[in-house]
């Protein structure tokens, strides 16, 4: 299954998503893509092959928000 790469504008501009992305020096789209296709329990792979290690609260925030983009 091909991962979704076009996320709703509301999600990409969400304050929490932007904050987490900025904190890890990636775009909101990169963060969302990596989170949804990556192994977030041990860190998630960013598109530039670096690892993003999310804190447990960041994982929970993204889990909650990811429910809004599931088909």
């Amino acid at each position: 299954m091909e991962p979704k790469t076009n996320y709703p504008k509301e999600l990409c501009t969400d304050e929490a998503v932007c904050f987490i992305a900025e904190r890890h020096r990636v775009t909101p789209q990169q963060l969302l893509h990596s989170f949804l296709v990556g192994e977030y329990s041990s860190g998630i792979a960013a598109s530039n092959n670096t690892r993003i290690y999310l804190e447990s609260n960041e994982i929970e925030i993204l889990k909650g928000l990811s429910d809004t983009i599931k088909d």
Side-chain angles (χ1 to χ4, degrees):
M1 180 157 120
E2 190 67 25
K4 188 172 184 177
T5 56
N6 294 323
Y7 305 107
K9 182 179 179 179
E10 298 80 23
L11 187 58
C12 291
T13 58
D14 182 88
E15 188 175 329
V17 172
C18 291
F19 177 80
I20 295 168
E22 184 177 316
R23 185 175 176 279
H24 294 285
R25 295 183 176 95
V26 296
T27 67
Q29 293 82 0
Q30 289 172 316
L31 176 69
L32 293 169
H33 176 76
S34 297
F35 177 75
L36 293 172
V37 301
E39 297 291 329
Y40 62 84
S41 63
S42 62
I44 57 177
S47 63
N48 61 0
N49 292 325
T50 60
R51 301 289 288 179
I52 300 172
Y53 294 97
L54 297 174
E55 295 180 11
S56 59
N57 63 324
E58 293 172 328
I59 292 170
E60 292 304 314
I61 290 167
L62 292 174
K63 278 183 184 178
L65 291 172
S66 69
D67 289 339
T68 66
I69 61 171
K70 291 183 179 173
D71 293 333

